[in-house]
């Protein structure tokens, strides 16, 4: 059984704050790490797919880093906005035809 | 145009009934998936099809049977519905199976409630 853990479970920040969350995954048999953004009543939307140790990806104010040797990824949001409010999911894959194993997500709420 | 669509969005039915959920993707992807969001909000893979061929079949009761008439469609049939089947079911697709950088695109979900 693969354990993908995310912390914190929820987070409440003020507009303009910068924040970050953690995704922990098994460090063996790493293949890929995905980040998704999931707004209430909508579909999960892909943010990043990361495959190499040391990868850093950026999309606007959101960025992510990857450490496959120690089994963690960080997602950073700079200058949070109310529209960033969502659940952020990470998902882990061990191989070519393997499934995505999702964490339970970090629920972010950004208020004015 | 919706990339991955599911019908119906909501399904309320009685225990023991048989129901189907349909999924269609217009992205030209080869691979499609069914996920179940359980009571703890985990997204768990149920099935994966690649070019109409079953690739992943997780430990799911036999009452659940996927059917892929073509690579753009993956339907989920559920027989003899039970209370515990109540959940949100998500369909997803990806361009191909196997690429490390492959992204999955999700449908809007079907909220199933079994009474």
């Amino acid at each position: 059984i693969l354990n993908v853990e995310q912390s914190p479970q929820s987070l409440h920040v003020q507009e303009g704050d910068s924040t970050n969350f953690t995704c922990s995954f098994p460090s063996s048999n790493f293949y890929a790490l995905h980040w998704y953004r999931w707004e209430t009543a909508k579909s999960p939307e892909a943010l990043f797919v990361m495959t190499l140790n040391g990868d850093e990806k950026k999309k606007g104010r959101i960025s992510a880093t990857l450490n496959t040797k120690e089994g963690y990824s960080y997602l950073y949001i700079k200058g949070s906005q109310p529209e960033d409010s969502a659940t952020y999911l990470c998902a882990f894959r061990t191989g070519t035809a393997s499934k995505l194993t999702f964490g339970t997500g970090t629920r972010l709420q950004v208020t004015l | 145009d919706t990339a991955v669509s599911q019908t119906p969005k909501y399904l309320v039915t009685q225990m023991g009934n048989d129901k189907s959920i349909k999924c269609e993707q217009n992205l030209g992807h080869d691979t499609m998936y069914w996920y179940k969001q359980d009571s703890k909000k985990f997204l768990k893979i149920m099935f994966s099809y690649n070019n109409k061929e079953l690739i992943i079949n997780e430990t799911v009761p036999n009452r659940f049977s996927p059917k892929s008439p073509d690579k753009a469609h993956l339907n989920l049939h559920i027989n003899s519905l039970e209370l515990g089947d109540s959940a949100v079911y998500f369909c997803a697709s990806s361009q191909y199976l196997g690429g490390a950088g492959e992204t999955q695109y999700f449908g809007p979900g079907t909220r199933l409630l079994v009474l």
Side-chain angles (χ1 to χ4, degrees):
Chain A
I1 297 176
L2 296 175
N3 275 333
V4 180
E5 296 182 358
Q6 293 188 245
S7 62
Q9 282 190 348
S10 64
L11 197 51
H12 190 164
V13 302
Q14 299 290 315
E15 183 182 14
D17 287 350
S18 293
T19 187
N20 64 85
F21 336 125
T22 304
C23 172
S24 301
F25 51 86
S27 56
S28 58
N29 298 321
F30 177 84
Y31 191 69
L33 192 284
H34 295 233
W35 279 101
Y36 283 84
R37 180 174 178 275
W38 194 1
E39 286 183 69
T40 303
K42 293 188 177 180
S43 315
E45 175 194 348
L47 284 174
F48 306 114
V49 181
M50 308 176 81
T51 57
L52 298 173
N53 185 42
D55 254 355
E56 289 190 28
K57 300 259 180 161
K58 189 174 179 183
K59 190 175 185 177
R61 293 178 293 100
I62 305 177
S63 60
T65 60
L66 179 67
N67 183 325
T68 61
K69 295 187 177 180
E70 296 182 39
Y72 65 84
S73 175
Y74 293 137
L75 187 81
Y76 300 92
I77 302 179
K78 187 177 176 182
S80 302
Q81 300 296 309
E83 58 264 31
D84 296 328
S85 298
T87 295
Y88 291 83
L89 294 170
C90 70
F92 171 75
R93 286 182 69 195
T94 58
T96 304
S98 74
K99 60 185 180 180
L100 275 179
T101 298
F102 281 86
T104 48
T106 292
R107 186 173 177 178
L108 173 68
Q109 189 171 356
V110 183
T111 53
L112 297 170
Chain B
D1 265 350
T2 305
V4 182
S5 60
Q6 293 178 230
T7 53
K9 282 189 178 178
Y10 300 95
L11 184 53
V12 181
T13 188
Q14 297 289 325
M15 218 165 45
N17 283 351
D18 302 337
K19 290 292 178 185
S20 294
I21 307 172
K22 296 186 176 181
C23 178
E24 177 181 0
Q25 53 94 3
N26 62 7
L27 298 168
H29 288 171
D30 283 350
T31 310
M32 296 184 72
Y33 312 81
W34 276 111
Y35 286 86
K36 179 181 179 181
Q37 183 188 16
D38 65 18
S39 56
K40 294 184 180 178
K41 304 299 182 186
F42 272 109
L43 270 177
K44 289 186 178 176
I45 186 77
M46 300 173 71
F47 302 103
S48 167
Y49 269 72
N50 186 60
N51 258 321
K52 302 195 297 176
E53 181 185 346
L54 182 65
I55 301 297
I56 294 174
N57 185 352
E58 287 293 290
T59 307
V60 176
N62 290 338
R63 300 181 294 103
F64 290 78
S65 55
K67 284 189 173 61
S68 182
D70 55 62
K71 73 175 191 178
H73 296 85
L74 181 61
N75 304 323
L76 184 64
H77 302 275
I78 315 172
N79 295 325
S80 303
L81 277 154
E82 298 178 358
L83 295 177
D85 297 332
S86 297
V88 184
Y89 293 86
F90 286 91
C91 176
S93 74
S94 62
Q95 187 169 7
Y96 51 89
L97 182 72
E102 147 236 336
T103 294
Q104 291 187 19
Y105 295 83
F106 283 81
T110 294
R111 284 147 186 83
L112 172 64
L113 178 61
V114 182
L115 303 175

